[in-house]
């Protein structure tokens, strides 16, 4: 089909009339579909049901350290869970600290601690006139939610195919000591699905921030969440590169098993230098007498080791891959060559990111809603919910069934076409 951008006014009007009729027909079906949140489907949750059986009232619940997991003790996490999460984070065991059930909670705590107590002996951020964070965009709404909640000013940095625009990052952090952090999802990023290049990771490791308490918040939420066995992204391990660069305190790495086992009932961890972990432990001591060791034991008994976890992730991929491909096929078939949108085909993670013509995203999401399809709110992928171009839309294909997805994708492309036609006709 001819690109919309090359059609005459008559052709555009003709196309609009045909699509409007199709839209009304679909609207009449009373659909109720949701492509808004990156939640695993029921089939994925069932993959981990066996975890509920590895501990019974008959089980030995003593961990390798000889401590009864039913009781208090071992604040850093049981040794076997530390090993598993250290392997998952690609760091030595000494660099890992096990937390509770959510990595977002660890990120929140880390910012809260910096605000109230300061980072490694520096002035608490809450006592400074201004604290700023760099936010690669589009990015994860809940990261931006944490920094907004604490009144931290957020600065947009474009996320390129290789990662954040490092020229901009280097310049800003070296000139402004009120910039205290940057949010990063280095692998299969939420939402664009890109992974940072080696050059980007190395430039991060060699950053020279003006603020001594600047930290990279490296949220490796999708580290082992590949869609393909034979085509996987591998990124350099940042903590090691920071150490080599003499910058070992520069990074906090976050990880969890939320989308490996059960979201909300997984294990979260932070990987960092020994100085950063000592700083975190000081607060943790007052925060808790220990995290859920039975859950840690359950995870280790179920997965055993990284090989077990990788095998498990292949089963997730088998469920997720056809869903991603179903949506991508519809995008390719229906929107390919029309000149009204672009998207990246991700090799992992949980999202497909779509960029519409400028000024159309909000209207597209509203249009899809009119026909019963809920998308992530337009703007959510930017700080303060403000997408300056109003063009980015996050598609989350994990939860609906493949049949539901095919329908939802049809409604989505129809909405994209109708809103784009409206824009082109108004020009
Ligand atoms: C980038 C990213 N980080 C963190 C989370 C949440 O992780 P958790 O369940 O460990 O809090 C998500 C969930 O969608 C995510 O996309």
């Amino acid at each position: 089909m001819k690109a919309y951008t090359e059609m005459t006014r008559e052709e555009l009007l003709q196309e609009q009339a045909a699509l409007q009729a199709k839209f009304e027909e679909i609207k009449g079906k009373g659909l109720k579909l949701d492509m808004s949140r990156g939640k695993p489907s029921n089939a994925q949750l069932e993959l981990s049901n066996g975890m509920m059986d590895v501990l019974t009232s008959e089980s030995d619940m003593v961990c390798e350290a000889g401590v009864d997991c039913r009781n208090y003790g071992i604040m850093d996490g049981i040794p076997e869970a530390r090993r598993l999460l250290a392997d998952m984070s690609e760091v030595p065991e000494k660099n890992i600290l096990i937390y509770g059930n959510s990595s977002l909670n660890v990120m929140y705590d880390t910012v809260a601690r910096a605000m109230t107590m300061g980072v490694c002996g520096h002035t608490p951020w809450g006592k400074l006139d201004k604290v700023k964070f760099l936010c690669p965009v589009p990015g994860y709404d809940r990261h931006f939610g944490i920094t907004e909640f604490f009144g931290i000013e957020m600065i947009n940095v474009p996320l390129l195919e290789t990662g954040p625009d490092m020229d901009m990052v280097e310049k800003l952090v070296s000139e402004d000591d009120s910039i205290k952090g940057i949010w990063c999802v280095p692998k299969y990023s939420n939402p664009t699905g890109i992974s940072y290049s080696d050059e980007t990771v190395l430039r991060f490791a060699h950053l020279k921030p003006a603020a001594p308490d600047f930290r990279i918040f490296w949220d490796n939420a999708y580290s082992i969440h590949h869609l393909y066995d034979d085509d996987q992204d591998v990124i350099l391990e940042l903590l090691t590169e920071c150490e080599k660069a003499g910058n070992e305190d520069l990074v906090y790495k976050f990880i969890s098993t939320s989308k490996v086992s059960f979201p909300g009932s997984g294990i979260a961890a932070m990987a960092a230098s020994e100085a950063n972990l000592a700083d975190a432990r000081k607060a943790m001591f007052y925060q808790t007498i220990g995290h859920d060791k039975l859950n840690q034991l359950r995870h280790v008994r179920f997965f055993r080791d990284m090989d077990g976890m990788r095998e498990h992730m292949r089963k997730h991929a088998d469920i997720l891959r056809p869903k991603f491909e179903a949506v991508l096929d519809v995008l390719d078939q229906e929107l390919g060559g029309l000149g009204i949108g672009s998207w990246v085909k991700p090799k992992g993670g949980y999202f497909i990111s779509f960029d519409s013509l400028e000024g159309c995203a909000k209207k597209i999401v509203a249009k899809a809603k009119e026909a019963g399809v809920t998308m992530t709110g337009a703007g959510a992928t930017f700080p303060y919910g403000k997408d300056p171009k109003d063009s980015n839309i996050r598609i989350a294909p994990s939860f609906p069934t493949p049949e539901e997805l095919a329908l939802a994708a049809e409604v989505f492309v129809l909405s994209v076409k109708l809103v784009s036609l409206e824009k082109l006709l108004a020009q």
Side-chain angles (χ1 to χ4, degrees), residues 37-39 101-107 140-143 184-185 188-190 219-222 255-259 262-265 267-268 350-351 394:
R37 294 236 61 108
K39 291 201 308 193
N101 66 318
S102 150
S103 62
L104 198 71
N105 185 199
V106 186
M107 293 176 234
Y140 180 36
D141 53 349
R142 288 186 172 259
H143 285 162
C184 292
V185 184
Y188 304 136
S189 101
N190 176 353
D219 177 3
N220 214 353
Y222 300 108
I255 205 158
S256 84
T257 66
S258 276
K259 282 161 185 164
F262 299 121
S265 304
I267 315 176
Y350 263 67
F351 304 100
R394 188 181 79 166

Side-chain angles (χ1 to χ4, degrees), residues 62 81 94 229-230 259 370:
V62 175
K94 68 176 171 45
D229 232 14
D230 54 354
K259 282 161 185 164
E370 210 184 303

Side-chain angles (χ1 to χ4, degrees), residues 143-284:
H143 285 162
F144 306 150
I146 292 175
T147 25
E148 184 173 3
F149 182 70
F150 284 103
I152 294 173
E153 184 182 317
M154 294 180 276
I155 301 169
N156 292 0
V157 174
L159 183 71
L160 314 174
E161 281 192 21
T162 48
D165 178 340
M166 291 308 291
D167 290 342
M168 189 170 169
V169 171
E170 285 166 351
K171 182 170 172 5
L172 288 172
V173 303
S174 65
E175 288 175 353
D176 185 348
D177 69 358
S178 68
I179 297 177
K180 300 294 188 191
I182 179 167
W183 289 118
C184 292
V185 184
K187 201 154 164 188
Y188 304 136
S189 101
N190 176 353
T192 69
I194 64 103
S195 297
Y196 293 10
S197 68
D198 288 353
E199 189 198 331
T200 298
V201 177
L202 289 172
R203 287 175 77 173
F204 265 116
H206 288 84
L207 274 186
K208 302 217 176 332
D213 50 351
F214 172 91
R215 294 291 182 272
I216 302 163
F217 286 63
W218 197 252
D219 177 3
N220 214 353
Y222 300 108
S223 62
I224 54 171
H225 303 56
H226 313 283
L227 286 172
Y228 299 91
D229 232 14
D230 54 354
D231 190 10
Q232 304 186 340
D233 287 348
V234 178
I235 59 167
L236 282 178
E237 198 289 294
L238 181 59
L239 184 57
T240 312
E241 296 307 326
C242 284
E243 279 166 4
K244 285 193 216 158
N247 249 343
E248 62 177 11
D249 294 336
L250 198 58
V251 59
Y252 298 132
K253 289 180 70 174
F254 304 97
I255 205 158
S256 84
T257 66
S258 276
K259 282 161 185 164
V260 180
S261 56
F262 299 121
S265 304
I267 315 176
M270 178 161 96
S273 69
E274 289 179 68
N276 279 332
L277 291 190
D279 204 38
R281 266 190 210 101
K282 266 191 245 161
M284 197 193 260

Side-chain angles (χ1 to χ4, degrees), residues 67-93:
V67 171
D68 187 336
C69 291
R70 295 171 304 173
N71 215 331
Y72 285 137
I74 317 194
M75 203 171 70
D76 281 14
I78 62 173
E80 47 270 63
R82 291 172 54 78
R83 207 158 51 234
L84 183 64
L85 273 282
D87 286 350
M88 194 181 164
S89 303
E90 301 171 79
V91 299
E93 223 181 301

Side-chain angles (χ1 to χ4, degrees), residues 33-35 39 41 323 396-405 408:
L33 303 166
D34 195 336
M35 291 205 290
K39 291 201 308 193
S41 61
K323 297 189 179 191
S398 58
F399 194 73
T401 64
E403 297 72 33
E404 287 173 334
L405 269 176

